[in-house]
C-alpha cells in the first residue's frame, strides 16, 4: 500500500477484511495504519517504491494518492512484474492534467461544462472579464482538491487566476458554473470495464452551507440516493465512453475511476475525473464493501474484473473530517490528540497524525475522519456526531451540516 492519509488507512482497514491477504506493508503509512500493517518510511519516488515492492516480494501494490500515479509509479512497478492497482502515468492524466482531461471529454462526447484553457495570465484575465458569473476557475495541475475556486464576482476570479499563474509553467481551466447536487461516483476499472461503487456526496468547502475555500473534502454521506435511471445514464454516457476512449487512445484505464459529477437539469455532467479513491469518499465507502478488496484490485490490475465481485452491504455510512485550525490555508500542527475506544460500526481513520514520543499529535491539514455505519444515513450521522465530543483535539474544525444538503439531519441511535 502506498500512501499516508485517511484514505490509505481506510484501504488498509478494508484489506484486513480480505480473506486473501496474509500481510500488508504500507509506505510511508501513519500511526493509524501502523496498528494494522507494517509501515516502512522511505522515498516515494517510483524507482524507490519499485525497489521496495521487489524487496518485500509483494503480490500486489495498491496506490492511494494521485502524486505517485502522475509520477508513473504504476508503469515502473509493473515493469518489474508486480501487479499494480492504479492507472498508468498516461491514464492518470485524466486527473493530473485538467486541460487534457477536458479535451478528452470533448473528443469522446462525455458531458461536461463548457470551458476554455489558458497557459498565460493575460488572456485568462481578459476572458473572465466578459464572462457571466458565477464561473469556475481551476488550476490545471494537481492541487489536492484545493485548486478550484467558484467565483461569484470578478475580484475572486482575478485573485484565483493570479494565484494559479504565480507558479511558472501553470495553466488554468475556466468553466461555466453548473448548479445542482454534486455526487462522487467511483468505479472499479480494469482497462475495459468500469463497475460502479455506491454513490457518495462529499462536502468540499471548509465552512458550513458550502461557504469558504475549497478543501480536499470535509465529510461524506453514502449512499447518495441516485435513481436507477441516473445510475444507468452515468454508466452509458460517462463511464463507458471514458473506458472506450482511453482504450482507443492506447491508454486503457485500470484502478479507481472517480467521476465528480453535477446532477443538472440536463442530466449528469462531469465536474472532474480523479484517478484514485476519493478522500474522504474511501473512508465512507470501504466500510460498506463486502467484496474482497484485494481480489477486486488484483482483477482490475489483470483486466479480469467481474461485476459480481463488487458487492456492498445494505445500510449507510457517514464521515465527518476533523481538520486542523488554520486549514486549508496554514494548518497548525502539534496539537495533542486523544481518541476514544470505538464501538462496532464506528471507525476513526487517521490522516495528518504523527507520534511525538508516546503522544499522538496532529501533523497535517485534515487530521481525522470519523466514520460510522448504520441502517440509515441519519442514524450513521447521529453516531458520528455523537462521538465527536469524546475526541480530544483542541481547536479542531469540522462541519456540523454533513448530509444537510440532501435534507438529512443526525438522528441519535
Ligand atoms: N474528496 C475529493 C477528492 O478526493 O478529490
Amino acid at each position: 500500500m502506498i500512501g499516508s492519509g485517511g484514505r490509505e488507512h481506510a484501504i488498509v482497514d478494508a484489506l484486513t477484511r480480505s480473506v486473501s491477504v496474509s500481510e500488508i506493508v504500507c509506505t510511508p503509512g501513519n500511526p493509524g495504519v501502523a496498528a494494522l500493517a507494517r509501515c516502512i518510511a522511505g522515498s516515494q519516488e517510483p524507482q524507490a517504491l519499485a525497489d521496495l515492492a521487489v524487496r518485500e516480494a509483494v503480490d500486489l501494490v495498491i496506490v492511494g494518492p494521485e502524486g505517485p500515479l502522475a509520477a508513473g509509479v504504476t508503469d515502473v512497478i509493473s515493469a518489474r512484474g508486480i501487479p499494480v492497482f492504479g492507472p498508468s502515468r498516461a491514464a492518470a492524466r485524466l486527473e493530473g492534467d485538467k486541460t487534457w482531461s477536458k479535451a478528452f471529454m470533448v473528443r469522446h462526447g462525455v458531458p461536461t461544462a463548457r470551458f476554455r484553457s489558458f497557459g498565460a495570465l493575460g488572456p485568462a484575465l481578459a476572458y473572465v472579464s466578459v464572462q457571466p458569473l458565477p464561473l469556475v476557475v481551476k488550476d490545471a495541475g494537481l492541487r489536492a482538491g484545493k485548486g478550484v475556486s467558484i467565483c461569484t464576482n470578478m475580484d475572486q476570479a482575478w485573485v484565483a487566476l493570479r494565484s494559479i499563474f504565480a507558479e511558472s509553467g501553470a495553466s488554468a481551466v475556466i468553466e461555466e458554473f453548473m448548479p445542482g447536487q454534486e455526487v462522487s461516483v467511483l468505479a472499479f476499472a480494469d482497462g475495459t470495464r468500469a463497475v460502479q461503487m455506491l454513490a457518495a456526496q462529499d462536502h468540499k468547502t471548509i465552512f458550513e452551507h458550502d461557504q469558504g475555500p475549497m478543501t480536499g473534502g470535509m465529510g461524506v454521506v453514502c449512499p447518495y440516493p441516485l435513481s436507477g435511471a441516473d445510475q444507468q445514464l452515468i454508466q452509458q454516457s460517462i463511464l463507458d465512453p471514458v473506458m472506450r476512449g482511453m482504450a482507443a487512445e492506447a491508454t486503457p484505464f485500470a484502478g479507481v475511476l472517480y467521476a465528480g459529477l453535477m446532477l443538472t437539469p440536463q442530466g449528469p455532467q462531469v465536474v472532474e475525473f480523479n484517478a484514485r479513491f476519493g478522500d474522504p469518499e474511501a473512508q465512507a465507502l470501504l466500510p460498506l464493501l463486502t467484496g474482497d478488496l484485494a481480489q477486486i484490485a488484483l482483477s482490475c490490475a489483470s483486466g479480469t474484473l467481474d461485476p459480481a465481485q463488487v458487492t456492498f452491504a445494505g445500510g449507510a455510512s457517514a464521515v465527518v473530517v476533523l481538520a486542523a485550525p488554520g486549514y486549508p490555508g496554514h494548518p497548525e500542527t502539534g496539537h495533542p490528540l486523544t481518541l476514544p475506544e470505538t464501538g462496532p460500526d464506528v471507525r476513526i481513520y487517521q490522516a495528518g497524525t504523527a507520534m511525538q514520543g508516546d503522544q499522538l499529535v496532529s501533523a497535517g491539514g485534515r487530521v481525522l475522519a470519523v466514520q460510522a455505519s448504520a441502517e440509515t444515513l441519519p442514524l450513521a450521522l447521529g453516531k458520528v456526531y455523537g462521538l465527536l465530543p469524546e475526541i480530544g483535539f483542541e481547536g479542531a474544525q469540522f462541519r456540523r451540516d454533513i448530509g444537510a444538503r440532501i435534507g438529512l439531519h443526525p438522528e441519535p441511535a
Side-chain angles (χ1 to χ4, degrees):
M1 177 78 226
I2 295 171
S4 65
R7 165 185 45 211
E8 287 73 29
H9 191 175
I11 293 171
V12 168
D13 184 37
L15 291 173
T16 64
R17 298 191 296 276
S18 292
V19 288
S20 55
V21 172
S22 54
E23 192 191 358
I24 309 168
V25 177
C26 183
T27 180
N30 68 36
V33 174
L36 305 173
R38 186 154 55 85
C39 290
I40 301 178
S43 165
Q44 299 294 295
E45 292 305 315
Q47 291 295 352
L49 291 168
D51 290 343
L52 178 64
V54 170
R55 210 161 50 238
E56 291 290 332
V58 302
D59 299 307
L60 170 70
V61 175
I62 298 183
V63 188
E66 58 275 23
L69 293 169
V73 74
T74 300
D75 312 60
V76 175
I77 298 179
S78 306
R80 306 268 191 108
I82 299 173
V84 182
F85 180 64
S88 67
R89 179 184 189 153
R93 267 189 307 175
L94 258 190
E95 169 170 8
D97 182 347
K98 301 218 180 312
T99 302
W100 183 89
S101 183
K102 291 291 280 194
F104 171 88
M105 289 183 236
V106 172
R107 281 200 295 285
H108 297 281
V110 175
T112 187
R114 278 188 293 122
F115 73 101
R116 287 275 303 273
S117 301
F118 294 90
L121 178 62
L125 289 176
Y127 175 77
V128 295
S129 305
V130 294
Q131 293 307 305
L133 294 163
L135 50 76
V136 183
V137 175
K138 292 181 178 175
D139 192 317
L142 290 175
R143 291 288 175 269
K146 290 172 270 180
V148 178
S149 305
I150 295 168
C151 305
T152 51
N153 63 54
M154 232 17 104
D155 279 351
Q156 288 172 342
W158 289 356
V159 167
L161 284 168
R162 287 208 168 89
S163 137
I164 291 171
F165 285 105
E167 303 226 350
S168 67
S171 52
V173 172
I174 301 172
E175 291 184 348
E176 67 177 346
F177 174 75
M178 295 185 288
Q181 291 280 351
E182 201 170 346
V183 184
S184 307
V185 174
L186 282 66
F188 289 110
D190 74 350
T192 53
R193 183 196 281 270
V195 179
Q196 289 181 47
M197 304 180 214
L198 299 172
Q201 184 168 59
D202 190 10
H203 297 67
K204 296 229 172 75
T205 64
I206 185 75
F207 302 131
E208 281 142 30
H209 313 297
D210 300 325
Q211 300 296 308
M214 293 289 194
T215 71
M218 292 298 291
V220 167
V221 287
C222 168
Y224 176 90
L226 263 189
S227 69
D230 271 342
Q231 284 174 37
Q232 210 178 350
L233 200 55
I234 289 164
Q235 191 71 37
Q236 289 169 354
S237 72
I238 296 170
L239 300 176
D240 291 345
V242 168
M243 296 304 290
R244 280 196 299 271
M246 293 299 281
E249 297 193 13
T251 54
F253 190 99
V256 174
L257 176 59
Y258 167 146
L261 305 174
M262 194 64 82
L263 302 181
T264 76
Q266 290 73 43
Q269 307 255 334
V270 176
V271 176
E272 63 176 5
F273 285 115
N274 293 319
R276 47 154 178 93
F277 272 113
D279 184 341
E281 284 92 337
Q283 294 91 311
L285 275 162
L286 290 174
L288 297 181
L289 181 72
T290 47
D292 182 318
L293 179 60
Q295 289 293 355
I296 293 171
L298 203 51
S299 300
C300 288
S302 58
T304 57
L305 181 64
D306 179 343
Q309 291 176 273
V310 182
T311 52
F312 286 89
S317 168
V319 165
V320 174
V321 168
L322 299 189
Y327 177 75
H330 301 284
E332 288 173 22
T333 57
H335 287 256
L337 305 170
T338 49
L339 307 185
E341 289 293 317
T342 53
D345 295 331
V346 178
R347 297 166 172 88
I348 302 175
Y349 291 121
Q350 297 188 30
T353 63
M355 293 305 293
Q356 244 172 35
D358 289 340
Q359 176 66 55
L360 186 69
V361 297
S362 64
R366 290 185 297 169
V367 176
L368 302 170
V370 184
Q371 183 275 342
S373 310
E375 233 167 87
T376 67
L377 265 170
L379 285 173
L381 286 163
K383 282 191 191 178
V384 173
Y385 281 112
L387 187 69
L388 295 191
E390 294 179 38
I391 296 176
F393 179 9
E394 215 181 299
Q397 302 188 79
F398 66 92
R399 283 180 56 161
R400 290 163 180 78
D401 68 341
I402 301 305
R405 205 190 292 147
I406 52 171
L408 298 172
H409 297 287
E411 206 172 276

